[in-house]
Amino acid sequence: MRLVLPALMLLALGAALLVGLPVGVVLIAVAFLFAGLGVMTGLVRSDDIGAIFLRIYGTLSDRDEIVYAAVPMLLFMGAILHETGLAADLLAGVTRTFGRMRGGPAVATIAVGALQAPAAGMIGASTGALALYALPALERQGYRTEQAAGLVAAAGTLGVIAPPGIMLFFIADAIGAQVPALFLAMLGPLALLLLLYLGYSVIRGSPAVTPTTRQTEGVFAGALLSAGLMVALVGIVASGLVTLSEAAALAAVGAVLAGAARGRVTWRALDAAIRRTALIGAMVFFIFVGASVFSLVFRLLGGQEMVSTAAAMLGSRGASALLAALVFVFILGFFLDWLEIVVIALPVLAATLIAGIAERLGNAQLAACWLGALFAINLQTSFLTPPFGYALFLVHGATGGRVGLFEVWRGAFPYLALQLVTLVAVLAIPELATWLPAQLLDLSVPKGPKFNE
Amino acid sequence: MTRIAFLLERVSTSIGVAVAWLGIPAMICLAALQPIARWLGWESGAPFSEASTFAFLALTMTSFGYAYAQGAHVRLDVFSRRFAPRANAAIELAGTTLVLLPLCAVIVADGFDSAWRSFQQGERWADTAWALQWSVRAWVPVGFLLLMCAGLASSLRAVLAMARK
C-alpha cells in the first residue's frame, strides 16, 4: 500500500490535468484528495494536513528564498526587450549579418533563440515572439513551411537551457545547486548543442538567398544593445560580485536604458511590460505553489520511498539509476509541464542520486551541477515531443493553425535528435558541464558563496 | 450576475496591475541600489533584502487573482478545447467551488490570523526597530482574497454559461 498510493497519485495528476482547469488548481485538488485518502488509510496523520497550509504560506514568504525575487526582474527585462522592439532588432540584425552565408537565416534564428533566455521562463514568450518574427522571414527566404516551423520551435527551446533562463533557477533550487554554478555549467552543453544545430543548418544549406532590404538604420544598434545585455548579465553573475537578484535588477535597468537610448520607452510599452511580467510571474508561481503542496503530500504518502525502492532495484550507485531517472523525467515530460517535474520529481530523484555521483566526481556541488545540466537538457527535449510539447503548440498556434502540429514536429525532429546527442555527450563526459564552474567558482562551501545578507 | 462577475474581475485586475506598477520598479530599484550601497561601504543588507521580499510578495500574491481574471493561468486544454461549452462551464464551476474557493477561504483565514498575531506581538522588521513584520505577512491573505474574487467571478460566469440554452 505504501508504494501504491504515490504511484496512483501521479497517475491521477496526469488524468486530472486533462480536464482543463488551471494546472495550479489541479495540483492542489489532487493533493487534497490523496491527503484525505492517506488519512483514511492511516498513512498520514491528520495533524500533518496542517502542514499543507504552512507550506502554501511558507513557499513564497520564506526569507531564505529571496532568490525568487530575481524571477520577476528577469521577466521584466525580457518583456522590456520585447515591447521596445529590441528583441526584433536583435533578430533582424543577426539575420542581416548571417543572411548571405550558407544556411544563414537558420543560423540567425538559432542564435536569437539562444539569446532570448530571460524571456523563456514560460517558453511561450520566446517561442511565440520568434514564431512571429522569424517564421515569415524564413518563408520569405524560401524555406519550406515545415522546415521553418520546426526550426523555430527548436530554436525557441534553446533559451530554456541558456542562462539566465528561469527554468535553471528552479532546477538549481530543486537539486541544491548554486544558481551561478548551474549557469556556468550550462555553457558547455549549450555550446555543443549550438554547434550541432548550426552545423546541421549549414550542411543542410538554405534555399536561394534573397536578402530582404527593409529599413536598416538602427537595427544593428538595437541588436548589439540587447545581445550585450545578456552577455553582461551572465558575466556579472559569474563574477560573484553581486547576488542574482542584484544582477537581474541591473539588467532590467539596463534594458530600460537601452530601450530609452533607442527612443522606444513609452508609457504604453512600460505598461505592457509590467502587465506581462505580472501575468507570467503569476503563471509560474501559481504552479510553483501548487506543485510544492502536491510534492509535500507525495512525500507524506511515501513517494520518496517509492522512488528510492525503484532506484535500489536498479542499483543506486550505478549509471543505471541515473539513466533510469533521465528516462523517467523524459516520460514525465510527455504529460507534465516542466515546472511540475522540477518541483515534484527532481528533489526526490536528486536525493537518491546525488551521493553516488558526488563520490564519483569528488565534490557534491559539481555533482549537483552535472545533474542539473543533465536534467535541464532532458527537460528541454520535452518541449519538442508530442503530445504535449509546448514549443510545438506555440508554433502551431502562432501560425493560426496554418502549419499542422504533426508538420511542426516533423520539422523539429532532427533538432530533437541533436538534443539527445548532446544529452548523451554530457552523460558520457561530465567535464562538459563541470569544468567551467570548477575553474571559476569556489565550490568547497556547501551552499554557495554567502553574499551580503 | 454578469455585472457582479465583471466588478469582481475588475477589483482583482486593477489591484493586481496597480501593485505591479509599484512593486516591480520598487524591487528593481532596491536590488540595483544594493551593490552601489555596498560599494560605498554602507551597512544596509537586512532591511534592503527584507524590503525586496515585501515587494516580491506583494507583486506575486496580487498577481494570482489578476492572472485568474485574465484567464492567463496555464491549462492543459488539448482535450477540453473539444468539449461542449457547457461541459467546460460545469468543470470550471466544480473546480472553483470545490477546490479554489475553499482553499482561498482557508488561506485567507489562516493568513489574517498570522498577520494579526504578528501585529499584536510587535514582530520586528528585519534588523530594524520597526514593528512592521505584519505588513509582509498580510500580503498572503490579501492576495488570496483577490484570487477568491476572481474565482467567484469565474464560477458566476460558469453558472451563466450553463443556464444559457
Side-chain angles (χ1 to χ4, degrees), chain B residues 5-159:
Chain B
F6 179 74
L7 272 177
L8 287 171
E9 281 166 358
R10 184 109 175 247
V11 168
S12 310
T13 302
S14 46
I15 295 182
V17 173
V19 172
W21 258 102
L22 295 173
I24 295 173
M27 263 173 85
I28 291 173
C29 291
L30 281 170
L33 288 176
Q34 218 166 335
I36 299 171
R38 202 163 49 224
W39 184 58
L40 291 173
W42 296 346
E43 298 270 334
S44 58
F48 251 125
S49 67
E50 197 58 33
S52 46
T53 308
F54 178 85
F56 170 68
L57 261 187
L59 167 70
T60 308
M61 284 299 152
T62 54
S63 69
F64 287 170
Y66 170 41
Y68 207 99
Q70 301 291 318
H73 282 299
V74 183
R75 297 166 185 252
L76 271 186
D77 57 356
V78 199
F79 290 101
S80 59
R81 217 179 325 184
R82 304 209 182 108
F83 296 167
R86 286 185 65 164
N88 274 326
I91 290 170
E92 180 67 31
L93 186 62
T96 44
T97 51
L98 295 180
V99 183
L100 188 68
L101 296 181
L103 174 80
C104 289
V106 169
I107 297 176
V108 168
D110 267 22
F112 270 120
D113 222 39
S114 139
W116 178 242
R117 263 203 311 271
S118 169
F119 178 71
Q120 281 182 320
Q121 292 165 358
E123 197 182 352
R124 299 260 176 95
W125 200 54
D127 294 347
T128 65
W130 311 322
L132 286 173
Q133 191 60 35
W134 63 271
S135 63
V136 181
R137 294 181 182 273
W139 282 117
V140 178
V142 168
F144 275 86
L145 196 63
L146 291 173
L147 179 57
M148 209 168 168
C149 288
L152 206 57
S154 176
S155 59
L156 288 179
R157 285 190 192 280
V159 169

Side-chain angles (χ1 to χ4, degrees), chain A residues 324-402:
Chain A
L326 290 174
V327 172
F328 179 61
V329 168
F330 187 76
I331 293 171
L332 281 183
F334 282 114
F335 59 99
L336 288 186
D337 199 12
W338 65 268
L339 193 51
E340 290 99 270
I341 301 179
V342 169
V343 179
I344 296 164
L346 290 206
V348 179
L349 291 172
T352 56
L353 289 170
I354 207 120
I357 297 173
E359 207 166 278
R360 227 180 94 199
L361 297 181
N363 180 319
Q365 263 305 314
L366 286 184
C369 281
W370 187 46
L371 206 55
L374 284 173
F375 280 131
I377 305 168
N378 196 355
L379 283 169
Q380 190 203 10
T381 60
S382 71
F383 293 109
L384 285 185
T385 41
F388 299 127
Y390 273 79
L392 305 176
F393 280 125
L394 284 163
V395 175
H396 169 67
T399 62
R402 187 165 55 83

